[in-house]
Amino acid sequence: MGIVEHIIAGILQPIIGLVHPATPLNVYTLAGALLFVGGLFVWLRARGRRREPGGFRKFALDRTIYAHPSATLDYRFYFVNGAIGAIVFAVMIASSAGWRDLTAEGLGTLFGPASAATDPGWGVRVGVTVAVIVAFDLGYWFSHWLQHRVPALWEFHKVHHSAAVLTPATTWRQHPVEEVLVANCVAAPVGIVLGAAAWAFGPGATELALWKVNVLLLAYFVTFFHLRHSHVWLPLTGLAGRILQSPAHHQIHHSEDPRHFNRNLGFCLSIWDWAFGTLYVPDKREQLTFGVGAETADYSSIRRLYAVPFVKLARRWRERGGAPAADPGGEPQSEPAVIG
């Protein structure tokens, strides 16, 4: 494909993605999320836990949120950033297939030829499906942890946290630098799991997938995924809250309350947060405000979403005499502590 074709494909990608079943944000997953919220609304009403006025529209599609300037900026940014990402960053993202092949070859060199089995059985494939999700979440957790702990990366991740309200489109309020980092961090563990499975059980030891999407991840997309960035409060507590990330987990993550800073860094699982001490399980409804404090106003346009991280990094560099230095202690969300 030539450069012109790449540009055309990139421009069309955000539109095509809305109807392509393999993309997270599409009309099918949005419809699934809406049906899921409808079931939740009926369940809460039947138990007397939804009595405030407004009905289902207010519960699921609050106009004050979806017409908020922060939300409308997210809608525009989805189309602009989607096109830029498709054009520029595909060649910068490591492939999990490359890690898979490298892992299988490495294991073969160390321990002998890979299995030649062609039918590993359903048990193996289910195990691989679960293992891929666990590996995916580890890579996501690590990339997310880095962005909250390394000041230079936090400046780019701050773009995502600058949303004053949460809607499904907020998921794509991500600076391209963040997108490249996350994609590469996820590709490695997923590829290693797939490579190890192929070596141990044969080339048929792959994850169960539909439209080339892991079936467990697909189930997440049509239920909880879009509610992570929404005003619909749906918590998981107890053991369930230590294994799975509920929408409330991620809403807590976006909170401006210092108690919530750098918590709930997982994607769909809580196990890595639990293991590494970054878990905050919401046990009751909390009144949350979102954004990055006074800095929220800095991210008020598409141009600013792209440019402000570079401007702030340059300012930080100048203030420190051109030499990077560690921030003082503490973990404020606007100035996270440096690792090391």
Side-chain angles (χ1 to χ4, degrees):
M1 183 182 292
I3 185 63
V4 175
E5 289 82 2
H6 270 295
I7 293 174
I8 294 173
I11 293 172
L12 295 178
Q13 177 56 39
I15 300 173
I16 295 172
L18 290 174
V19 295
H20 197 293
T23 58
L25 180 66
N26 61 53
V27 293
Y28 317 112
T29 58
L30 288 170
L34 193 60
L35 288 173
F36 184 77
V37 171
L40 175 64
F41 179 78
V42 170
W43 184 83
L44 292 174
R45 272 288 178 90
R47 284 153 182 77
R49 296 167 61 182
R50 285 294 306 180
R51 297 187 179 278
E52 56 263 42
F56 177 71
R57 185 198 61 76
K58 181 74 172 179
F59 178 71
L61 300 169
D62 190 334
R63 179 178 173 80
T64 62
I65 293 174
Y66 283 86
H68 191 281
S70 177
T72 58
L73 176 59
D74 287 345
Y75 308 148
R76 301 196 307 273
F77 191 64
Y78 164 78
F79 288 99
V80 175
N81 202 46
I84 290 176
I87 295 169
V88 178
F89 296 99
V91 296
M92 298 177 63
I93 296 174
S95 167
S96 61
W99 280 98
R100 177 198 63 203
D101 296 343
L102 183 64
T103 300
E105 290 173 7
L107 289 172
T109 300
L110 291 173
F111 304 109
S115 171
T118 57
D119 184 12
W122 281 96
V124 169
R125 295 200 65 192
V126 169
V128 172
T129 302
V130 173
V132 164
I133 291 295
V134 173
F136 177 98
D137 223 85
L138 175 60
Y140 183 89
W141 181 93
F142 179 64
S143 68
H144 207 173
W145 180 81
L146 285 175
Q147 291 175 87
H148 278 261
R149 303 298 295 180
V150 179
L153 295 178
W154 168 244
E155 291 299 344
F156 294 103
H157 187 50
K158 203 183 292 183
V159 168
H160 182 64
H161 278 269
S162 67
V165 299
L166 302 182
T167 75
T170 307
T171 302
W172 280 264
R173 184 192 279 231
Q174 297 181 41
H175 197 280
V177 171
E178 174 179 351
E179 292 180 315
V180 170
L181 173 68
V182 174
N184 282 287
C185 285
V186 166
V190 169
I192 289 170
V193 165
L194 291 173
W199 175 81
F201 303 106
T206 57
E207 59 188 323
L208 298 171
L210 187 61
W211 298 302
K212 298 183 178 180
V213 180
N214 183 294
V215 293
L216 295 179
L217 196 59
L218 191 61
Y220 188 70
F221 286 157
V222 298
T223 52
F224 282 1
F225 176 68
H226 289 305
L227 304 187
R228 298 165 79 240
H229 296 100
S230 79
H231 64 290
V232 177
W233 180 261
L234 178 57
L236 289 176
T237 58
L239 181 60
R242 287 166 170 76
I243 296 174
L244 299 174
Q245 286 264 330
S246 71
H249 278 73
H250 196 70
Q251 290 158 15
I252 288 288
H253 173 75
H254 274 267
S255 169
E256 288 187 313
D257 189 328
R259 295 182 301 125
H260 303 146
F261 290 173
N262 308 324
R263 302 295 182 183
N264 299 345
L265 304 174
F267 183 76
C268 58
L269 301 178
S270 293
I271 56 174
W272 300 115
D273 284 305
W274 190 11
F276 297 120
T278 55
L279 181 63
Y280 182 105
V281 179
D283 58 355
K284 60 182 179 180
R285 183 67 185 258
E286 301 190 35
Q287 296 301 315
L288 306 175
T289 57
F290 306 121
V292 285
E295 292 183 87
T296 301
D298 295 343
Y299 304 88
S300 57
S301 69
I302 291 176
R303 180 181 62 82
R304 284 176 169 268
L305 291 177
Y306 284 115
V308 164
F310 294 109
V311 171
K312 291 191 174 185
L313 280 176
R315 184 181 302 143
R316 180 192 293 267
W317 185 270
R318 288 197 305 270
E319 289 172 353
R320 290 173 177 169
D327 286 334
E331 297 184 3
Q333 187 152 333
S334 59
E335 290 288 343
V338 180
I339 60 174

